[in-house]
Amino acid sequence: MTVPAPAPAPQDLDQPYAGLTPHAVLDALDAAGLRGDGRILQLNSYENRVFQVHLEESLDPDAPLPGVVVAKFYRAGRWSDAQMLEEHAFTQALADAEVPAVPPLALRIADDLRPEAAGIELLGDPPTLAKLNGWRYGVSPRCGGRSPELEDPLTLEWIGRFLARLHLVGQQQRFQHRVTLDGSAAARASVQWLVDSDLLPMGALGGWHSACLRALDAVDVRFERHGPLELLRIHGDCHAGNVLWTSHGPHFVDLDDAVNGPAVQDLWMLLGGDRHEMQGQLGALLDGYETFREFDRRELALIEPLRTLRIVQHSAWIARRWNDPAFPIAFPNFESPSYWAQQTTQLHEQVEAMAEEPLIA
């Protein structure tokens, strides 16, 4: 007996994925010309919802096995259609330049469209963004891999080479619709939103707010000392979890946070440990990077300011998503005074770090 799919639920900004059942995911892919065989696995993702889906037919007609795709359902209200399509176009431009990124598939409306999928709309040229029942989603081939061994200098050199090639593509033009990372303005808006939100424990609000403003003032000083920035399209969130290592080297995944920004933003999140360790890691990255592209070493003074901006924005990100049931589970201490005390201490430490001499490479 065939079990009928439940009626699709409208997407709610506070409960954005309540109606995204396995039935809904398979129906959405089916409407876009990709028929799943019923095997579906939800992958780790807080901001969006991401699923691995096995298809009835292979993406490659010469391959003997069914294809496997990754479907990303975007969170409502975060990005506009134009911003999503810019992400897709950038990823495709990287793939066209043989930079190891995984571009979205071109979609098509299924020939035998089912009644529940009759409202599908495809956007882009080629069409890579689908809209159905309030959901917006894209689909890409699955790319396997493992976490890179960042303690290995040769691995870091390899990643550095590919980051330089990514930036060579990124410098060809700028995003017209996506965010530009060039100072503290966005973080200050997030701080004010948090102050107005009543989410912080009253006893923690004053100290945290004061620490934020002091830290963001120091960020602005560093950016002003640097002078005009060379802004280019960058990955924006290039930490180890977004680099998959294969036998052919690194693959960059999840360009959801791609922005116009300085090149160093894609380097500093790969560094870890004490100052001496980060110095060595940075040297290895730049040894590879400068094989293909010159790096402006003045940007090294922006590492700690950029880290500070990320710390502030991370707290605001959790707060803005607090009504999503996944977030209280993932961040159980967020509403406690201890969380905000720890954030306050970290921001004071960042002020001290920004006063130090930058890393040298």
Side-chain angles (χ1 to χ4, degrees), residues 180-312:
T180 294
L181 178 61
D182 60 355
S184 72
R188 289 181 186 276
S190 293
V191 169
Q192 190 58 51
W193 182 88
L194 273 165
V195 170
D196 295 338
S197 70
D198 295 327
L199 285 172
L200 275 73
M202 287 304 298
L205 175 60
W208 175 83
H209 188 206
S210 175
C212 274
L213 296 181
R214 183 181 174 215
L216 293 177
D217 286 344
V219 167
D220 286 338
V221 168
R222 281 293 193 180
F223 271 91
E224 288 168 7
R225 286 179 183 172
H226 182 281
L229 285 170
E230 181 185 8
L231 298 172
L232 56 147
R233 293 175 297 174
I234 59 175
H235 186 291
D237 194 27
C238 193
H239 55 76
N242 283 335
V243 181
L244 293 180
W245 197 265
T246 73
S247 59
H248 302 291
H251 272 68
F252 299 107
V253 297
D254 193 9
L255 274 77
D256 193 55
D257 288 298
V259 295
N260 298 313
V264 72
Q265 171 66 14
D266 281 348
L267 300 177
W268 74 262
M269 275 186 275
L270 296 167
L271 309 179
D274 60 26
R275 183 181 178 88
H276 176 74
E277 290 171 317
M278 288 193 292
Q279 196 94 28
Q281 295 159 4
L282 179 63
L285 278 171
L286 290 180
D287 282 346
Y289 190 97
E290 294 194 317
T291 303
F292 288 93
R293 184 178 186 271
E294 185 178 354
F295 179 78
D296 182 355
R297 278 168 165 70
R298 293 181 305 151
E299 290 188 8
L300 297 179
L302 299 179
I303 289 177
E304 294 306 328
L306 289 167
R307 192 192 311 276
T308 302
L309 294 177
R310 187 172 177 86
I311 290 168
V312 173

